Amino acid sequence: MNDRSREIFRLVVDAYVETGEPIGSRTLSRKLGMDLSPATIRNVMADLEDMGLLFAKHTSAGRLPTDVGLRLYVNGLLEHGNLSKDERSQIKAQCAAGGKSMPQLLEEATGMLSGLSQCAGLVVAPKLSEPLKHIEFVSLAPGRALVVLVSDSGSVENRVVDIPLGLPPSALVEASNFLAARLIGRTLEEAIQEIQTELKEHQAMLDQVSQKVVELGLATWAEDINGSSNGALIVRGQAQLLEDINALEDLERVRHLFSALEKRESLVRLLEMTKTAEGVQIFIGSENELFAQAGCSVVMAPYKNTRQQVVGAIGVIGPTRIDYARIIPMVDYTAKILGRMVG
């Protein structure tokens, strides 16, 4: 694109982000302040349409950016804004740990991001993959026990396992002590194979009933580690997406989005892609099959612990005309602050 085409294209996208409406050649002529007639501008827009960057809902209507056009805009023409001092302070304050549990911290950070962005906020917290500092079996009911896992950073995960009926309390204590001696300071994934080998070769100093409890617990964790479960997903602020509806087609788009958000396994797989990449990732409309019908964009960034290991991802989801210039630095900053809080 030459400079003239680039400026016209940028104004079309800016108008779309601001209003969601197509913009015509006469309006563009006034905005440009150049000595360009509406007819000249129409010819430029026609060329941009041939390039797949713009489209018109109707023959005589103004132009809107395509998903390909939005991608070009985000990657090459967008100038990121700076967060205000108040926004930075609000994000820091909301992400301050202050005795909160990890689930509480993530819930509040997601809600805060939703409020600031006027989009739905979402966060993925992966399966417990940090070193553990506490493990305990707690009896719930006949044949059922709760396994409590606490990581070094304070994350807590609970698992319900089936146990033999009539199990004495001493067996749960023995199972807890056995696993604590081998798991504390290590991740489940690091220790699970070694413990299974020890049990298989009858090297474990456990009575038969306690060994059964340990085996049941290990089987549950092994399934989590090797299975399709990718972690906990928190979504907040879906109602924000209903506030900007001005046509039936917009309502249908939001319905598609809500349907997509309910497909949590598919969405978590999308967020897993974010965690393997560096920095903020942007998924626009049809670029991802999950949101193709919904016509939505996702802006996500991974957050890391002090060892620079990715432990989760946070971001927003909204219409393709979200304010990328403001939301991209907002998501990036929130992810960095959240990483400091995780420790």
Side-chain angles (χ1 to χ4, degrees):
M1 284 190 290
N2 58 30
D3 290 343
R4 183 176 66 182
S5 297
R6 187 179 295 109
E7 182 63 12
I8 290 173
F9 174 69
R10 186 185 63 78
L11 285 174
V12 172
V13 177
D14 286 347
Y16 173 66
V17 168
E18 183 179 351
T19 68
E21 298 295 328
I23 188 169
S25 55
R26 289 189 180 280
T27 304
L28 281 172
S29 180
R30 290 194 296 269
K31 283 180 173 288
L32 279 167
M34 300 180 186
D35 188 19
L36 291 178
S37 69
T40 301
I41 293 173
R42 280 196 296 274
N43 288 334
V44 173
M45 289 199 293
D47 291 340
L48 293 171
E49 193 169 353
D50 289 340
M51 295 166 64
L53 303 178
L54 299 181
F55 77 100
K57 287 185 176 181
H58 311 289
T59 305
S60 60
R63 299 302 193 273
L64 292 165
T66 63
D67 290 344
V68 173
L70 285 171
R71 170 56 64 188
L72 174 65
Y73 173 78
V74 168
N75 286 356
L77 302 178
L78 179 66
E79 294 182 6
H80 295 180
N82 293 315
L83 295 180
S84 69
K85 185 176 180 180
D86 286 346
E87 286 173 331
R88 288 174 178 268
S89 298
Q90 186 174 346
I91 292 171
K92 280 184 179 180
Q94 198 68 59
C95 291
K100 301 171 189 171
S101 67
M102 183 55 62
Q104 286 176 315
L105 177 61
L106 294 177
E107 288 258 4
E108 292 186 13
T110 308
M112 174 272 302
L113 199 53
S114 170
L116 285 176
S117 67
Q118 297 299 297
C119 296
L122 63 166
V123 66
V124 62
K127 295 173 297 186
L128 196 63
S129 57
E130 303 171 88
L132 298 173
K133 67 178 180 181
H134 180 76
I135 180 170
E136 183 179 359
F137 286 88
V138 180
S139 179
L140 291 178
R144 306 276 279 175
L146 179 71
V147 190
V148 182
L149 303 165
V150 184
S151 74
D152 279 347
S153 68
S155 297
V156 179
E157 284 201 18
N158 299 319
R159 298 281 193 280
V160 177
V161 296
D162 295 320
I163 57 175
L165 290 170
L167 188 78
S170 60
L172 292 179
V173 174
E174 186 176 6
S176 298
N177 291 339
F178 172 81
L179 288 172
R182 290 155 180 80
L183 284 174
I184 304 308
R186 304 169 72 183
T187 67
L188 282 172
E189 197 165 2
E190 289 171 345
I192 193 168
Q193 187 173 356
E194 182 181 321
I195 296 171
Q196 286 174 330
T197 300
E198 186 176 345
L199 292 173
K200 186 176 180 180
E201 296 178 355
H202 306 291
Q203 297 173 353
M205 302 298 292
L206 285 169
D207 65 37
Q208 189 172 0
V209 178
S210 299
Q211 180 166 328
K212 182 66 175 175
V213 175
V214 171
E215 289 172 345
L216 289 167
L218 292 178
T220 301
W221 299 323
E223 183 179 340
D224 282 347
I225 291 171
N226 299 317
S228 61
S229 173
N230 287 310
L233 176 68
I234 301 169
V235 182
R236 292 291 177 268
Q238 293 97 317
Q240 300 273 16
L241 303 172
L242 293 169
E243 295 181 359
D244 192 32
I245 291 177
N246 50 29
L248 285 176
E249 61 187 46
D250 290 335
L251 179 59
E252 188 62 23
R253 172 183 57 76
V254 172
R255 283 176 178 162
H256 279 301
L257 174 58
F258 286 170
S259 176
L261 290 174
E262 289 172 2
K263 299 174 183 175
R264 303 175 82 82
E265 289 187 9
S266 298
L267 187 52
V268 170
R269 283 200 298 273
L270 170 65
L271 303 187
E272 284 293 313
M273 293 167 56
T274 305
K275 295 192 297 176
T276 61
E278 286 293 326
V280 179
Q281 298 296 301
I282 300 121
F283 305 91
I284 299 174
S286 57
E287 291 180 347
N288 185 274
E289 62 183 42
L290 182 61
F291 301 107
Q293 286 184 299
C296 293
S297 289
V298 183
V299 179
M300 296 293 300
Y303 56 91
K304 303 177 181 180
N305 59 20
T306 53
R307 296 186 294 278
Q308 291 304 297
Q309 297 170 318
V310 174
V311 294
I314 190 167
V316 302
I317 180 169
T320 53
R321 69 178 193 86
I322 59 176
D323 187 350
Y324 295 96
R326 178 170 177 265
I327 288 176
I328 290 172
M330 184 182 296
V331 168
D332 186 43
Y333 187 70
T334 303
K336 286 182 169 64
I337 294 297
L338 198 57
R340 294 176 200 166
M341 296 300 104
V342 169

